[in-house]
Amino acid sequence: MHLRTLTHAISGLICLFLLCIPSSVLSAPIAPGSLLSSAGHTQRRGIEDAGSRPSHFTDGIEPRNYGHTFLRGVNIGGWLVLEKWMTPNLFEGTSAVDQWTFDTTPGAPSKLTTHWDTWFTETDVQWLKSVGINAIRIPIGFWAYDNSKTPYLKGADAYLERAIGWAKKAGLKVWIDCHGSPGSQNGFDNSGHMGGVKWQLEDNLLRSILILGTMARKYGALEYQGTVVGLELVNEPISSGANSIDLTRQFALEAYRITKAQAKNPDLMIVMHDAFKGPNYWNDLPAKSYSNGRLGIDTHLYQVFGETDSTLTQQEHIQKACGWSGDLRSSNVVMPTFVAEWSPVTNICVNPDGSTTPGTSCSVPGCQCQIADPNAWNSNMIEQVRRYVEAQLDTYESSTSGYFMWSYKAPGAWGFQTGIQKGFIPSPVTSRKYQNQCLQY
């Protein structure tokens, strides 16, 4: 299909859903190949040849200032998109494993309403502000806007609306994250539906773009300017198996054009997750999208899921966190770069003398492992976790456009609220007990 023909085809399809886009926007240049004509085929043409991507910038370049507020935030995970590990009590007495199956269980509507009413409130927003947080990233599923042919229950968008109002009143920024996409972008429970990955089927990709257009038109309205600062197109799409990274890149470009066309707020940042490729993989997108600093990249940095992560001492975890600054800084020079998920969690144990060993079990008398309930942590463990947290924060402050910890309320050391209360996260988040840890690396 000729590019211009494709452009008008997309325009016509979107107009059917009352998301008509000016022809001048739709005729803007995009990469060769087409999202819709490529979907579902095993052979796909990429946006460009890998060899033509710009090389990484050298470390030491100062981060670029895009004129945006630096975001010091937390995720409100487990609220509008359920994850069983985060809210196990909600799933008690059911065989549900994710939102898809939970929403079909007896009493689900009333349980969801109670959860939405109580899990996150205006009091939480005020408390977050008091400890130095200036932004919240709120995950929401596509089904809040279109649940047709799915078992998902609607209603979450009304609570997102409430949260935006609370944030505006408190002076906090809001980043809206389309956490679950049609067909599931990764097969994880955080997409709403565990199992198969069918996001890149043609109908699902088109549905994604249509829903994102709806979200951009709604949350990109001028009434939200100054409060809603970001809209994330998709969360953690995998880049293997059923997903083609080339098609994901084409999706990013076309979704960016459509969401920016729908948003009246010129300052709204459209954000793409890096699809586990690292932020520098996407360095060519700003030039291709003519984004002028309004297209950002999101990377998620954890040191708990990889095989090698469980072989590191805490000092080695700190060194690794400090080492992230090079790639983050070089990416942030090209486009606003965010660490929209990170965590204090590592698999380490602490001995009575303060030294650490890798793993989740230990044999030295008096030793303690981080996997234990933080309520039982001794002072050595609290200090070791705080060192790691502060090293991460130093890296993000110096090398990115903002960060969001995962998550506000969560079991164990995953919970920001717990971290503040137990002292392994600084309060306010800009304070430091262990200064300049990264200077030695």
Side-chain angles (χ1 to χ4, degrees):
M1 182 182 289
H2 190 275
L3 178 59
R4 185 173 298 276
T5 304
L6 169 68
T7 297
H8 288 297
I10 295 176
S11 177
L13 284 168
I14 292 173
C15 281
L16 290 175
F17 289 82
L18 303 180
L19 291 173
C20 297
I21 296 176
S23 59
S24 60
V25 174
L26 279 167
S27 62
I30 61 173
S34 83
L35 178 99
L36 295 181
S37 63
S38 295
H41 295 281
T42 57
Q43 296 296 323
R44 300 184 177 100
R45 181 177 179 181
I47 289 180
E48 64 178 357
D49 294 333
S52 66
R53 296 193 185 105
S55 60
H56 290 190
F57 287 77
T58 57
D59 195 7
I61 296 178
E62 288 299 316
R64 179 176 172 186
N65 183 353
Y66 292 91
H68 308 139
T69 300
F70 186 89
L71 303 180
R72 299 180 178 93
V74 296
N75 285 276
I76 314 302
W79 186 36
L80 304 182
V81 177
L82 300 183
E83 296 185 39
K84 185 174 181 177
W85 74 275
M86 298 184 72
T87 56
N89 292 341
L90 193 60
F91 284 76
E92 281 185 1
T94 77
S95 59
V97 296
D98 53 20
Q99 185 99 44
W100 177 280
T101 50
F102 178 86
D103 285 3
T104 65
T105 59
S110 61
K111 290 178 182 178
L112 270 183
T113 298
T114 299
H115 175 68
W116 290 337
D117 280 332
T118 58
W119 178 258
F120 187 70
T121 68
E122 186 171 9
T123 300
D124 294 302
V125 171
Q126 295 166 345
W127 182 83
L128 286 169
K129 181 179 181 180
S130 74
V131 297
I133 291 298
N134 69 1
I136 51 178
R137 178 177 181 253
I138 305 180
I140 192 166
F142 77 90
W143 54 90
Y145 310 95
D146 175 11
N147 68 344
S148 61
K149 299 181 181 179
T150 77
Y152 292 122
L153 298 172
K154 296 188 72 173
D157 57 320
Y159 288 85
L160 174 56
E161 199 83 34
R162 290 187 193 179
I164 294 171
W166 301 331
K168 183 176 183 178
K169 183 178 178 181
L172 267 62
K173 309 298 183 184
V174 176
W175 172 323
I176 298 169
D177 160 36
C178 189
H179 214 68
S181 297
S184 180
Q185 70 276 16
N186 54 32
F188 307 153
D189 60 347
N190 63 36
S191 73
H193 193 186
M194 292 178 65
V197 177
K198 299 180 180 179
W199 175 57
Q200 290 195 346
L201 295 181
E202 183 171 327
D203 288 349
N204 286 332
L205 279 179
L206 178 58
R207 191 178 187 185
S208 283
I209 290 178
L210 295 176
I211 291 167
L212 289 167
T214 297
M215 295 174 72
R217 184 173 57 180
K218 181 178 180 67
Y219 304 115
L222 292 178
E223 65 183 287
Y224 294 121
Q225 189 170 16
T227 301
V228 178
V229 296
L231 172 61
E232 188 154 5
L233 301 173
V234 59
N235 179 71
E236 296 187 344
I238 60 173
S239 296
S240 59
N243 282 356
S244 159
I245 185 60
D246 291 334
L247 195 53
T248 299
R249 287 164 59 83
Q250 291 174 352
F251 161 84
L253 282 172
E254 295 186 18
Y256 172 79
R257 292 187 307 119
I258 288 171
T259 51
K260 288 303 289 184
Q262 287 300 304
K264 300 297 183 183
N265 174 12
D267 299 325
L268 181 68
M269 177 80 65
I270 304 301
V271 185
M272 180 65 192
H273 183 264
D274 68 3
F276 303 106
K277 288 290 189 178
N280 285 291
Y281 183 85
W282 301 81
N283 281 352
D284 60 320
L285 252 63
K288 289 182 174 294
S289 62
Y290 304 94
S291 60
N292 194 28
R294 294 298 180 265
L295 174 60
I297 195 72
D298 164 26
T299 191
H300 298 172
L301 297 176
Y302 294 110
Q303 292 194 43
V304 69
F305 297 121
E307 290 184 10
T308 59
D309 290 333
S310 294
T311 67
L312 304 179
T313 66
Q314 192 73 329
Q315 194 59 41
E316 289 169 332
H317 283 295
I318 290 170
Q319 181 176 356
K320 183 175 178 179
C322 293
W324 286 331
S325 64
D327 282 347
L328 291 172
R329 187 179 295 114
S330 64
S331 176
N332 201 51
V333 168
V334 179
M335 61 196 303
T337 300
F338 303 89
V339 179
E341 291 188 22
W342 65 275
S343 170
V345 177
T346 57
N347 288 326
I348 56 105
C349 301
V350 181
N351 296 316
D353 63 0
S355 62
T356 66
T357 57
T360 57
S361 63
C362 58
S363 57
V364 175
C367 68
Q368 187 176 57
C369 297
Q370 194 188 122
I371 197 172
D373 185 339
N375 289 313
W377 284 2
N378 59 34
S379 59
N380 283 337
M381 178 61 73
I382 290 172
E383 295 309 307
Q384 285 292 348
V385 176
R386 178 152 177 164
R387 287 177 185 273
Y388 175 56
V389 167
E390 290 191 8
Q392 289 188 82
L393 292 175
D394 286 349
T395 295
Y396 308 149
E397 291 273 352
S398 67
S399 306
T400 74
S401 293
Y403 61 81
F404 296 82
M405 182 186 145
W406 188 275
S407 184
Y408 174 44
K409 294 179 180 178
W414 289 93
F416 176 84
Q417 187 178 58
T418 300
I420 293 290
Q421 293 169 346
K422 298 301 177 183
F424 60 84
I425 295 175
S427 178
V429 292
T430 51
S431 65
R432 295 291 181 270
K433 190 173 183 179
Y434 301 101
Q435 299 281 343
N436 303 317
Q437 292 184 88
C438 291
L439 290 182
Q440 60 184 302
Y441 301 116

